[in-house]
Amino acid sequence: MSAISQGAFDGGSGHSCNSGNPHCTHHRHAICFIIPPIMLRNIAEKGDEEQRTLAFHTLAASERFRGQREVLSALGIVKSLGSPGEKLRTIYDAKRGTTLPGRLVRSEGKKATKDQAVNEAYDGSGATYDFYSEVYERNSIDDRGFRLDSTVHYDRDYDNAFWNGTQMVYGDGDGQIFQRFTRSIDVIAHELTHGVTEFEAGLEYQDQPGALNESFSDVFGSLVKQWVRKETAEQANWIIGEGLFTSRVKGIGIRSMKAPGTAYDDPLLGQDPQPAHMKDYYGGAEDNGGVHINSGIPNRAFYLAATAIGGYAWEKAGKIWYIALRDRLRSTAQFVDAAKVTMAVAGDLFGLKSKEMKAVRGAWQKVGVIK
Amino acid sequence: MRASLERTGGFAGMRLTSTADTDKLAPEEAKELRQLVEAADFFRLPPTIASQANQPDRFQYKLTVEDDQRTHTVMVGEAAIPPRVRPLAEWLTQYARRR
Ligand SMILES: [Zn+2]
């Protein structure tokens, strides 16, 4: 074990910070922590959920720059890793507890179970894998076949879904307001995209970089749904989390990319708080500085760009956003940086005077991010 | 004694709040709430329990307890919530849904 660990950390110096890593200028990022291999092994074996995640982030980042992916599985943090070009899904059942990942209930290639949540998590993560692979030639979350683990039936009455750094987790909802979170394929693709963002731009989960992080998850969440349904930008409804509310709630879904702030208006829940324009930007501290609130602004910018370009949104607008996320955005990017970068990518791909470039510029202007 | 919860964040980004007052609760419930506050050793918790990693879409909690002499507020992310505090947060979450 120690030989493997040392191999990944400069002969045992234990410093996982690579000078070639652009994230290293930001001390908050896990990669810049100095953790001796022996400690990482202990964390992997005995740490609590958050410590294991941190250890994973450190190892994943190290692995990313040095190509020593076997370290992850050797430490038992990721149980197995896929081979290039392979889709590897594993679904677990937390049985209404909070221990992750829970009991294995379906692995790749196994037939459907009687549990709808299990099958939805399996099919939804499969469609998301296929989308990234076929549309953008990306092999899973890390572009190197990262295994797609999902846990369903997490906790009791749990009104949420999340990405914990290594896997997707879904609650069943409380039955009063929310139904189970696997019902919407865009929720599944949203969570998986958090993994992609973590491996690429590494957008900080706070304030504007956090709202961009959220927005990229909604953008590709919605695109996976559109791709599965073969809908054009005009045909799509651009709703995130459609079908999650029970029939008692007055609302079509959680967010609207087309018209942020209009997804629900309910006596108990209140009104959808998302702004559609910079003039209504939320400046408070809640929700990590409003990451799920202010994402309405870049979400609408994407919708406007995609509909101005026309056709299937994943082909051009989606490609511009994907390359921006993969190659161009920094972890501290603000909305204005996202505007500049997507315009630059549109210019590179389609020409500075192209319809696509004008559509992207017009979109960011309409939401008040640039003049 | 009054105990309140504000839950923000999560995939849906919705705000959930509740305030339970032992003067207005049924006696058994009031007793239960006092026990949960005591079990959490609430007044000795730090005002902010930092998360090492900001996990996407997780809930953020702000818990406040007021009794005769003192008021204390604790901010904590879902992934970092100490096991002894979790039952109090769960109780107040259930209480919020009931109204
Ligand atoms: Zn999210």
Side-chain angles (χ1 to χ4, degrees), chain A residues 190-191 194 205 214 217 292, chain B residues 11 56-57:
Chain A
H190 174 111
E191 296 310 332
H194 276 311
Y205 206 65
E214 270 304 308
S217 273
H292 295 90
Chain B
F11 177 86
D57 297 329

Side-chain angles (χ1 to χ4, degrees), chain B residues 26-91:
Chain B
E28 323 81 78
E29 283 188 320
K31 191 180 161 200
E32 200 176 45
L33 181 59
R34 283 183 195 284
Q35 281 170 349
L36 290 171
V37 170
E38 199 176 315
D41 203 1
F42 193 84
F43 288 95
R44 284 195 216 167
L45 291 168
T48 305
I49 301 172
S51 286
Q52 288 173 304
N54 255 350
Q55 294 182 1
D57 297 329
R58 300 214 81 168
F59 292 126
Q60 313 287 321
Y61 291 97
K62 184 176 167 187
L63 298 161
T64 302
V65 177
E66 305 170 57
D67 67 12
D68 303 335
Q69 272 102 47
R70 49 195 180 163
T71 298
H72 187 51
T73 297
V74 174
M75 312 260 278
V76 62
E78 186 189 357
I81 199 158
R84 68 173 198 268
V85 183
R86 204 179 157 90
L88 175 64
E90 280 175 1
W91 194 95

